[in-house]
Amino acid sequence: MINLSEVKGIGPKTTSLLNKLNIFTIDDLVEHYPFRYDVLRRSDLSTVTEDERVVIDGKVESIPLVVRFRGGLNKLNFRLATSNGVVGVSIFNRAFLKPNLGIGTNVIAIGKYDKQKNVLSASDIKFGTLSKEDKIEPVYHTTNGLTQKNLSGYINNALLKYGNEITDYIPKKYMDLYKFSNKKTALNIVHNPPSFDKLKEASIRLKYEELFEFMFKINYLKLENEKNNLGIKREGDINRLDDLIKNLPFELTDDQKTALKEVIDDLNSPKRMNRLLQGDVGSGKTIVAILAMYYNSICGYQSALMAPTEILAVQHFNNIKELLKDTDVRVELLTGSVNKKVKKDIYSELKNGDIDIIIGTHALIQEEVEYSNLGLVVTDEQHRFGVNQRANLKNKGIRPDVLYMSATPIPRTYALTIYGDMDVSIIKQMPKGRIPVKTYIKKESEIKDVLELMYEELRNNHQIYVIAPLIEESENTDLTTVNNLKDKMNLAFGRKYNIDIVHGKMKAEAKELIMNEFKQNKVNILISTTVIEVGVDVPNATMIVIFDANRFGLSTLHQLRGRVGRNSIESKCILISNSDTKRLEIMRDTHDGFIISEEDFKLRGSGDLFGTKQSGDMSFKIANLRSDYKILVQAKKDSMEYLKDQGSNNDILKQKLINSIHTS
Ligand code: ADP
Ligand code: MG
């Protein structure tokens, strides 16, 4: 693998900036795709409006004048002779360009135009002239200290030098079949598009490749599953399951009943279960899993439930213990922070079969846990587990039935394709009596209104989540922090209410303690970072207040909002943000996780369908599962054909693809 620092212009400092963008290798760098393209087209100054993005070009007519301000700011002013007359151009902090802007230099300026003053306040200036054809400019996601120009320069340097060594995942057969250009050419076009037609062609090729690689892995798992899909055939006493269902504090929804039936049928069949249970936040997936685990123990087998965070594992544990308290099923918790001695006991009791249901984090598959007769594995919030973890689970040599739960809203057809190695059950209905969460968007200056709304909830003995993006104050941000908020809230409510904090850096025991107090309504306001994002369930919490809401993806906000509205009282979600309110309005206007993730996707460009943090196996760099669905289907077909083709078994590419499933 070639080091990033081999690329011309990239030193240690730039390397760490690139790392921030998730760029660690040359492949990452050249596959850092533009998230949109701007078109440079000459504007007609006589018709432009105040807010419009204006592009003009011409020759520098006056020697640029630099004005310097306190604090190192500067402003560069010059006159530009365009084909429509002379226009003043001013731009901040480009004093360094002065030597390059001699009289007669061809310049393109982009910015906002003030008709009255005949001045363009430029946000960017470039050298050159606009041609008749539109000039297509890539725009990249970047980070402080790294300009668009830097980034584009590094990418092009890397392509120039290493373009031929970049891994290409398309087998020759399909390259020929679709008359695809080679990867280097396609990458070159995507980063420097000569025309929209060429751009489209190149991006289809790159999308196909990305989806081919993805579908190859899925298909590989599918074939592996089919090869040895003999599982456990069960014949348990279904009446005992029905008795438990009758005694639940609520009636199951029809969707829950159907999903449960599908799962039980799988458990009873000799074929191994490999099923995805999908349902929007709050749709009640957990109970289905619990009932399946109970049935599994009736049949004499052990179950393991894996959650992505300790908070969730603990919640599931308490939940299950409560539901199964009148049965003889033994449930235990195993997470990273369980003390050594207890852990040892649990290990041996798992091995000798004393424990029926074990709840934990990924530790359950990563550590050398031995079971007496593991029959069922459930993983919660599956989108956090990638294809590779999925493979890992199966490589442990045990052959249990597997149930994956996911809140990622995707329709059945897509689900069937991208989870091609699994069967899918979908819970669409929300439990009866749920009222949609009322969502408000507030500016920071309206904090008094927010506090009043909060006070109202508190007086009704309801609880509140408050979310802030950061734990501690750091020097160069003005983002709200949890510590800061706690002081403010204490002040605002005169210490009448109990306010506490959880965040990701706290020890698990401490987190658990506070979560428990919140559950028992001993804590009235829980201030948190997004650690509570997935799965946490406290029905008495009826309000969530999210500071700096613009910092979060819509899918994350949807997950966060899903923490409330878990009973029959109207809950409120307050999004606080001074900017980006258009995007946030989507949250106010819809509660459908599917639409929200779609919008999120559109707005944030290509990349991560499910919010930045929920990386899992569904984050694509250039493909879009929905708009590129046709390519996906083709890639699925082709990759399956390639997999099954014995003749290509010794292909280096095939080996590479298979190895990547087992190693990363
Ligand atoms: P998710 O699908 O997001 O994981 P949970 O399984 O945490 O949702 O369920 C959300 C809440 O709804 C829980 O408090 C659960 O007890 C409750 N619940 C689940 N099913 C029903 C139902 N059929 N009727 C009423 N409440 C239900
Ligand atoms: Mg859940």
Side-chain angles (χ1 to χ4, degrees), residues 595-631:
I595 296 175
I596 288 171
S597 80
E598 179 109 318
E599 290 296 327
D600 204 12
F601 196 68
K602 272 193 223 151
L603 289 165
R604 280 142 56 103
S606 76
D608 191 350
L609 184 54
F610 309 116
T612 39
K613 286 193 15 246
Q614 306 175 359
S615 52
D617 51 349
M618 297 290 165
S619 52
F620 294 97
K621 287 178 175 168
I622 191 164
N624 173 330
L625 287 185
R626 242 155 271 146
S627 51
D628 301 325
Y629 187 64
K630 276 194 181 143
I631 308 177

Short mmCIF file of all heavy atoms in Angstrom, two decimals, residues 595-631:
data_model
loop_
_atom_site.label_atom_id
_atom_site.label_comp_id
_atom_site.label_asym_id
_atom_site.label_seq_id
_atom_site.Cartn_x
_atom_site.Cartn_y
_atom_site.Cartn_z
N ILE A 595 -38.65 8.82 4.44
CA ILE A 595 -38.56 10.11 3.75
C ILE A 595 -37.38 10.92 4.32
O ILE A 595 -36.62 11.55 3.58
CB ILE A 595 -39.87 10.91 3.92
CG1 ILE A 595 -41.01 10.15 3.24
CG2 ILE A 595 -39.74 12.31 3.36
CD1 ILE A 595 -42.37 10.76 3.44
N ILE A 596 -37.24 10.86 5.63
CA ILE A 596 -36.17 11.63 6.26
C ILE A 596 -34.80 11.18 5.77
O ILE A 596 -33.95 12.00 5.42
CB ILE A 596 -36.29 11.56 7.79
CG1 ILE A 596 -37.50 12.40 8.23
CG2 ILE A 596 -35.03 12.04 8.47
CD1 ILE A 596 -37.88 12.26 9.67
N SER A 597 -34.60 9.89 5.70
CA SER A 597 -33.28 9.45 5.27
C SER A 597 -33.04 9.77 3.80
O SER A 597 -31.94 10.10 3.38
CB SER A 597 -33.07 7.96 5.56
OG SER A 597 -33.67 7.18 4.57
N GLU A 598 -34.12 9.74 3.04
CA GLU A 598 -34.04 10.12 1.63
C GLU A 598 -33.61 11.58 1.50
O GLU A 598 -32.71 11.93 0.75
CB GLU A 598 -35.41 9.93 0.99
CG GLU A 598 -35.45 10.30 -0.45
CD GLU A 598 -35.59 9.07 -1.33
OE1 GLU A 598 -34.94 8.06 -1.06
OE2 GLU A 598 -36.37 9.13 -2.27
N GLU A 599 -34.27 12.44 2.26
CA GLU A 599 -33.97 13.87 2.20
C GLU A 599 -32.55 14.15 2.66
O GLU A 599 -31.82 14.93 2.08
CB GLU A 599 -34.95 14.66 3.09
CG GLU A 599 -36.36 14.70 2.56
CD GLU A 599 -36.46 15.45 1.23
OE1 GLU A 599 -35.70 16.40 1.00
OE2 GLU A 599 -37.31 15.05 0.41
N ASP A 600 -32.19 13.46 3.73
CA ASP A 600 -30.87 13.61 4.29
C ASP A 600 -29.84 13.30 3.21
O ASP A 600 -28.86 13.99 3.01
CB ASP A 600 -30.71 12.60 5.43
CG ASP A 600 -29.65 13.03 6.42
OD1 ASP A 600 -29.23 14.21 6.34
OD2 ASP A 600 -29.27 12.22 7.27
N PHE A 601 -30.14 12.26 2.51
CA PHE A 601 -29.25 11.77 1.48
C PHE A 601 -29.11 12.78 0.36
O PHE A 601 -28.03 13.10 -0.09
CB PHE A 601 -29.81 10.46 0.96
CG PHE A 601 -28.81 9.69 0.19
CD1 PHE A 601 -27.73 9.13 0.83
CD2 PHE A 601 -28.96 9.52 -1.16
CE1 PHE A 601 -26.80 8.41 0.11
CE2 PHE A 601 -28.03 8.80 -1.88
CZ PHE A 601 -26.95 8.25 -1.24
N LYS A 602 -30.25 13.31 -0.07
CA LYS A 602 -30.24 14.30 -1.15
C LYS A 602 -29.43 15.51 -0.73
O LYS A 602 -28.64 16.04 -1.49
CB LYS A 602 -31.67 14.77 -1.42
CG LYS A 602 -32.42 13.93 -2.44
CD LYS A 602 -33.68 14.67 -2.88
CE LYS A 602 -34.85 13.71 -2.94
NZ LYS A 602 -36.14 14.35 -2.69
N LEU A 603 -29.66 15.95 0.50
CA LEU A 603 -29.06 17.19 0.93
C LEU A 603 -27.57 17.06 1.19
O LEU A 603 -26.82 17.98 1.00
CB LEU A 603 -29.74 17.68 2.21
CG LEU A 603 -31.16 18.18 1.98
CD1 LEU A 603 -31.90 18.31 3.29
CD2 LEU A 603 -31.10 19.53 1.28
N ARG A 604 -27.17 15.90 1.64
CA ARG A 604 -25.76 15.75 1.98
C ARG A 604 -24.95 15.16 0.86
O ARG A 604 -23.78 14.86 1.01
CB ARG A 604 -25.63 14.91 3.25
CG ARG A 604 -25.89 15.78 4.49
CD ARG A 604 -26.63 15.06 5.57
NE ARG A 604 -26.00 13.85 5.99
CZ ARG A 604 -25.31 13.72 7.11
NH1 ARG A 604 -25.14 14.76 7.88
NH2 ARG A 604 -24.83 12.57 7.46
N GLY A 605 -25.57 15.01 -0.28
CA GLY A 605 -24.84 14.49 -1.42
C GLY A 605 -24.61 13.01 -1.28
O GLY A 605 -25.18 12.36 -0.42
N SER A 606 -23.76 12.48 -2.11
CA SER A 606 -23.55 11.05 -2.07
C SER A 606 -22.81 10.70 -0.80
O SER A 606 -22.29 11.54 -0.12
CB SER A 606 -22.74 10.58 -3.26
OG SER A 606 -21.39 10.93 -3.06
N GLY A 607 -22.80 9.46 -0.47
CA GLY A 607 -22.08 9.06 0.72
C GLY A 607 -22.93 8.26 1.64
O GLY A 607 -23.41 7.20 1.28
N ASP A 608 -23.18 8.82 2.82
CA ASP A 608 -23.67 8.00 3.89
C ASP A 608 -25.18 8.13 4.06
O ASP A 608 -25.69 9.16 4.43
CB ASP A 608 -22.97 8.44 5.16
CG ASP A 608 -23.23 7.48 6.26
OD1 ASP A 608 -24.08 6.60 6.09
OD2 ASP A 608 -22.57 7.63 7.29
N LEU A 609 -25.86 7.06 3.76
CA LEU A 609 -27.31 7.09 3.81
C LEU A 609 -27.83 7.21 5.23
O LEU A 609 -28.91 7.70 5.47
CB LEU A 609 -27.84 5.80 3.17
CG LEU A 609 -29.33 5.60 3.00
CD1 LEU A 609 -29.95 6.75 2.25
CD2 LEU A 609 -29.58 4.31 2.26
N PHE A 610 -27.06 6.74 6.18
CA PHE A 610 -27.64 6.60 7.51
C PHE A 610 -26.95 7.45 8.57
O PHE A 610 -26.85 7.06 9.71
CB PHE A 610 -27.63 5.14 7.90
CG PHE A 610 -28.24 4.29 6.83
CD1 PHE A 610 -27.50 3.35 6.16
CD2 PHE A 610 -29.55 4.51 6.45
CE1 PHE A 610 -28.07 2.61 5.15
CE2 PHE A 610 -30.12 3.78 5.43
CZ PHE A 610 -29.39 2.82 4.78
N GLY A 611 -26.48 8.63 8.18
CA GLY A 611 -25.85 9.48 9.18
C GLY A 611 -24.40 9.09 9.33
O GLY A 611 -24.05 7.93 9.23
N THR A 612 -23.56 10.06 9.60
CA THR A 612 -22.13 9.79 9.54
C THR A 612 -21.66 8.74 10.54
O THR A 612 -20.75 7.99 10.27
CB THR A 612 -21.32 11.06 9.81
OG1 THR A 612 -22.00 11.77 10.82
CG2 THR A 612 -21.19 11.90 8.57
N LYS A 613 -22.30 8.71 11.70
CA LYS A 613 -21.78 7.84 12.74
C LYS A 613 -22.16 6.39 12.52
O LYS A 613 -21.47 5.48 12.93
CB LYS A 613 -22.28 8.31 14.11
CG LYS A 613 -21.55 9.54 14.52
CD LYS A 613 -21.70 9.94 15.97
CE LYS A 613 -22.25 8.91 16.90
NZ LYS A 613 -23.56 9.29 17.42
N GLN A 614 -23.28 6.20 11.85
CA GLN A 614 -23.77 4.84 11.72
C GLN A 614 -23.15 4.19 10.49
O GLN A 614 -23.83 3.86 9.54
CB GLN A 614 -25.28 4.86 11.60
CG GLN A 614 -25.88 5.62 12.75
CD GLN A 614 -27.36 5.77 12.62
OE1 GLN A 614 -27.96 5.33 11.66
NE2 GLN A 614 -27.98 6.40 13.60
N SER A 615 -21.86 4.03 10.55
CA SER A 615 -21.18 3.67 9.32
C SER A 615 -21.62 2.31 8.78
O SER A 615 -22.14 2.22 7.70
CB SER A 615 -19.68 3.72 9.52
OG SER A 615 -19.33 2.96 10.64
N GLY A 616 -21.42 1.27 9.57
CA GLY A 616 -21.88 -0.04 9.15
C GLY A 616 -21.45 -0.38 7.73
O GLY A 616 -20.40 0.05 7.26
N ASP A 617 -22.28 -1.10 7.04
CA ASP A 617 -21.87 -1.57 5.72
C ASP A 617 -22.56 -0.83 4.59
O ASP A 617 -22.46 -1.20 3.45
CB ASP A 617 -22.17 -3.06 5.60
CG ASP A 617 -23.60 -3.37 6.00
OD1 ASP A 617 -24.26 -2.48 6.54
OD2 ASP A 617 -24.04 -4.50 5.78
N MET A 618 -23.25 0.23 4.90
CA MET A 618 -24.07 0.87 3.87
C MET A 618 -23.56 2.23 3.47
O MET A 618 -24.30 3.04 2.98
CB MET A 618 -25.49 1.07 4.39
CG MET A 618 -26.18 -0.19 4.68
SD MET A 618 -26.54 -1.05 3.18
CE MET A 618 -26.91 -2.63 3.89
N SER A 619 -22.31 2.54 3.76
CA SER A 619 -21.91 3.87 3.36
C SER A 619 -21.15 3.76 2.05
O SER A 619 -20.11 3.15 1.96
CB SER A 619 -21.10 4.55 4.44
OG SER A 619 -20.05 3.74 4.84
N PHE A 620 -21.72 4.35 1.05
CA PHE A 620 -21.12 4.31 -0.27
C PHE A 620 -20.47 5.64 -0.58
O PHE A 620 -20.95 6.68 -0.15
CB PHE A 620 -22.19 3.98 -1.31
CG PHE A 620 -22.73 2.61 -1.14
CD1 PHE A 620 -23.92 2.40 -0.46
CD2 PHE A 620 -22.05 1.52 -1.63
CE1 PHE A 620 -24.42 1.13 -0.27
CE2 PHE A 620 -22.53 0.24 -1.45
CZ PHE A 620 -23.72 0.04 -0.77
N LYS A 621 -19.42 5.59 -1.35
CA LYS A 621 -18.72 6.83 -1.65
C LYS A 621 -19.33 7.54 -2.84
O LYS A 621 -19.35 8.75 -2.90
CB LYS A 621 -17.25 6.52 -1.95
CG LYS A 621 -16.47 6.16 -0.70
CD LYS A 621 -15.04 5.83 -1.05
CE LYS A 621 -14.24 5.59 0.22
NZ LYS A 621 -12.93 5.01 -0.09
N ILE A 622 -19.80 6.79 -3.80
CA ILE A 622 -20.34 7.46 -4.99
C ILE A 622 -21.73 6.95 -5.36
O ILE A 622 -22.54 7.68 -5.90
CB ILE A 622 -19.35 7.34 -6.19
CG1 ILE A 622 -19.79 8.26 -7.33
CG2 ILE A 622 -19.19 5.90 -6.65
CD1 ILE A 622 -18.72 8.51 -8.37
N ALA A 623 -22.02 5.70 -5.03
CA ALA A 623 -23.33 5.15 -5.41
C ALA A 623 -24.42 5.63 -4.46
O ALA A 623 -24.16 5.95 -3.31
CB ALA A 623 -23.26 3.63 -5.38
N ASN A 624 -25.62 5.68 -4.96
CA ASN A 624 -26.79 6.01 -4.17
C ASN A 624 -27.77 4.87 -4.35
O ASN A 624 -28.24 4.60 -5.45
CB ASN A 624 -27.39 7.32 -4.70
CG ASN A 624 -28.71 7.66 -4.04
OD1 ASN A 624 -29.48 6.79 -3.63
ND2 ASN A 624 -28.99 8.94 -3.95
N LEU A 625 -28.05 4.17 -3.24
CA LEU A 625 -28.84 2.95 -3.35
C LEU A 625 -30.14 3.15 -4.09
O LEU A 625 -30.64 2.26 -4.76
CB LEU A 625 -29.13 2.39 -1.97
CG LEU A 625 -27.95 1.75 -1.27
CD1 LEU A 625 -28.41 1.15 0.03
CD2 LEU A 625 -27.32 0.69 -2.16
N ARG A 626 -30.72 4.32 -3.93
CA ARG A 626 -32.01 4.50 -4.54
C ARG A 626 -31.92 4.96 -5.99
O ARG A 626 -32.46 4.32 -6.88
CB ARG A 626 -32.86 5.47 -3.72
CG ARG A 626 -34.09 4.78 -3.22
CD ARG A 626 -34.59 5.44 -1.98
NE ARG A 626 -34.00 4.86 -0.81
CZ ARG A 626 -33.71 5.53 0.27
NH1 ARG A 626 -33.90 6.81 0.32
NH2 ARG A 626 -33.22 4.92 1.31
N SER A 627 -31.19 6.05 -6.22
CA SER A 627 -31.18 6.52 -7.60
C SER A 627 -30.35 5.61 -8.50
O SER A 627 -30.50 5.62 -9.71
CB SER A 627 -30.70 7.97 -7.68
OG SER A 627 -29.49 8.11 -6.99
N ASP A 628 -29.49 4.80 -7.91
CA ASP A 628 -28.69 3.89 -8.73
C ASP A 628 -29.18 2.46 -8.61
O ASP A 628 -28.41 1.51 -8.76
CB ASP A 628 -27.21 3.97 -8.31
CG ASP A 628 -26.66 5.37 -8.45
OD1 ASP A 628 -27.08 6.06 -9.41
OD2 ASP A 628 -25.86 5.79 -7.62
N TYR A 629 -30.45 2.33 -8.36
CA TYR A 629 -30.98 1.00 -8.10
C TYR A 629 -30.78 0.04 -9.27
O TYR A 629 -30.46 -1.13 -9.09
CB TYR A 629 -32.47 1.11 -7.75
CG TYR A 629 -33.04 -0.21 -7.30
CD1 TYR A 629 -32.58 -0.81 -6.13
CD2 TYR A 629 -34.03 -0.86 -8.03
CE1 TYR A 629 -33.09 -2.02 -5.70
CE2 TYR A 629 -34.54 -2.07 -7.61
CZ TYR A 629 -34.07 -2.65 -6.45
OH TYR A 629 -34.57 -3.85 -6.03
N LYS A 630 -30.92 0.57 -10.49
CA LYS A 630 -30.74 -0.28 -11.67
C LYS A 630 -29.32 -0.82 -11.74
O LYS A 630 -29.10 -1.99 -12.07
CB LYS A 630 -31.03 0.52 -12.94
CG LYS A 630 -32.49 0.57 -13.28
CD LYS A 630 -32.64 1.07 -14.71
CE LYS A 630 -34.11 1.17 -15.07
NZ LYS A 630 -34.37 2.33 -15.94
N ILE A 631 -28.38 0.05 -11.46
CA ILE A 631 -26.98 -0.39 -11.48
C ILE A 631 -26.77 -1.45 -10.40
O ILE A 631 -26.07 -2.45 -10.60
CB ILE A 631 -26.02 0.80 -11.23
CG1 ILE A 631 -26.34 1.95 -12.20
CG2 ILE A 631 -24.57 0.37 -11.38
CD1 ILE A 631 -25.49 3.19 -11.99
#
